[in-house]
Amino acid sequence: MATATTVPRIQTERRFFTGMAIAMALFVFIGFAPTYFLYPVLGTESVRGAGPLTLMVHLHAAVSSAWMLFLIMQAGLIAGRQHEQHMRNGVIGLGLAIAVVVIGVVVAIHSGRVGRTPPDWTPAAFLVFPLTSVALFSGFIGAALMWRRRPDYHKRLILLGTMAILVPAGSRFARYILTGVLPPGPIGGMILSDLFLAALAAYDIRSKGRLHPVTLWGGGLLLLSQPLRLIIGKSDPWTAFATWLIG
């Protein structure tokens, strides 16, 4: 009887986490479609600021897209019961994660230098958003690697790390697709990225009757970081630090 009830539960869990990976990848594609992926076709007004897209921006897009596709592939391997291949691919995941962090920081600083920021935000104030996202991504993915022998911890930490870098896509989603519905820019992006956290919390409650510890504490950290960015970003110490960093 226990086996009969356990198998459907495992299958449901695999479908959920695979679906979350696919949904986040689609979210990124749709969010960046007007200003990057489909920009030549749509001819949407660019939010890139001055000048054309640089090689570094293309590299940033390629690495970030590769991470999303890797996430889908890894979830698919688990769904297909190819656990050993999933674990062997961990080295690839680590390399991609490092690339996301390094290139993300470089692009964030460069964007601040050339003034590629949303309206109503100074380069120094806005810099807190990408750097915080990168820091959260690093922390969650690092923790996921430490807890790789605990699948329930590992998969949630991977999702939280990915949620942390969804804000830029959400910002564009709010500006171009949900115009007038949500605040454009990082605030709208954070609101939209929180929908994925809400989905994870709802899944936990429905399947376990409570929030998983990773969802509770990790999700709480993710939520706490959002108002703190607004406060810290416009503080004098951060302005001085960001101005020095941008140069």
Side-chain angles (χ1 to χ4, degrees), residues 133-144:
S133 292
V134 166
L136 288 168
F137 175 82
S138 302
F140 285 131
I141 299 305

Side-chain angles (χ1 to χ4, degrees), residues 140-154:
F140 285 131
I141 299 305
L145 292 174
M146 292 178 60
W147 290 97
R148 61 187 179 277
R149 300 295 180 182
R150 289 286 303 271
D152 57 322
Y153 280 64
H154 176 79

Side-chain angles (χ1 to χ4, degrees), residues 75-193:
L77 287 174
I78 292 298
R81 301 179 183 179
Q82 300 182 49
H83 298 82
E84 292 184 2
Q85 184 61 51
H86 175 95
M87 295 181 68
R88 285 196 294 269
N89 289 346
V91 176
I92 300 174
L94 176 60
L96 279 175
I98 293 173
V100 168
V101 171
V102 173
I103 296 174
V105 171
V106 171
V107 170
I109 295 174
H110 176 72
S111 296
R113 286 175 179 166
V114 300
R116 290 174 181 163
T117 58
D120 303 323
W121 286 90
T122 65
F126 179 71
L127 190 61
V128 72
F129 289 96
L131 293 188
T132 301
S133 292
V134 166
L136 288 168
F137 175 82
S138 302
F140 285 131
I141 299 305
L145 292 174
M146 292 178 60
W147 290 97
R148 61 187 179 277
R149 300 295 180 182
R150 289 286 303 271
D152 57 322
Y153 280 64
H154 176 79
K155 63 182 67 175
R156 285 171 174 82
L157 286 164
I158 291 290
L159 285 186
L160 288 173
T162 306
M163 289 176 202
I165 57 174
L166 293 181
V167 176
S171 299
R172 288 156 177 80
F173 208 116
R175 177 175 180 178
Y176 287 98
I177 300 172
L178 297 177
T179 307
V181 178
L182 292 174
I187 296 178
M190 289 188 295
I191 292 172
L192 288 173
S193 66

